[in-house]
Amino acid sequence: MSYPDDRQYTADHEWIAVDGDTARVGITSYATEALGDVVYLDLPEVGATVSAGESCGEIESTKSVSDLVAPAGGEVLSVNEAAVDSPETVNSDPYDEGWLYTLRVTDLPEGLLDADGYASLVEGQGA
């Protein structure tokens, strides 16, 4: 499995692509594979403030319901309504059409992983 090198990753299997003070957030292909078919997304509301490392929504799949953990803190600027309407998009294209929400970043924590670091992490988890 490969991971785009133009973004950062968390141990919670989310990615964040930062551009200036805004960022786009999604979950990794490893996460989509582990979850199975995504059937429902509960994303944070536009205008909400999320905190890095805290739950900000849920992803329901045919296997389980998982918390969506914010990789950075900030204000939610938009959510991917197309993915809400068609959650299978998260499985089919997790890095482009299956993004989840955008943030105005106020807190970008240290310790986010680059693509190689994330690949090593998931290899250690049996990927």
Side-chain angles (χ1 to χ4, degrees):
M1 214 175 286
S2 65
Y3 306 99
D5 59 6
D6 62 347
R7 55 201 81 195
Q8 297 173 292
Y9 299 87
T10 72
D12 294 313
H13 308 293
E14 294 171 349
W15 57 260
I16 181 168
V18 179
D19 183 14
D21 67 345
T22 62
R24 185 173 278 191
V25 175
I27 64 171
T28 67
S29 54
Y30 176 83
T32 63
E33 201 166 287
L35 286 169
D37 294 334
V38 175
V39 296
Y40 179 75
L41 296 171
D42 179 21
L43 301 178
E45 292 186 24
V46 173
T49 300
V50 298
S51 299
E54 294 188 6
S55 176
C56 64
E58 292 181 338
I59 296 177
E60 183 176 339
S61 72
T62 53
K63 292 183 179 177
S64 67
V65 176
S66 300
D67 282 337
L68 183 62
V69 178
E75 178 187 0
V76 176
L77 299 176
S78 65
V79 297
N80 186 350
E81 294 294 343
V84 171
D85 292 342
S86 300
E88 65 276 8
T89 306
V90 174
N91 290 101
S92 63
D93 194 4
Y95 298 110
D96 290 310
E97 297 299 318
W99 62 275
L100 300 177
Y101 60 94
T102 61
L103 282 177
R104 181 178 320 283
V105 178
T106 58
D107 175 27
L108 186 63
E110 292 185 24
L112 295 173
L113 302 168
D114 63 12
D116 290 340
Y118 182 72
S120 295
L121 174 79
V122 297
E123 285 174 16
Q125 295 178 350

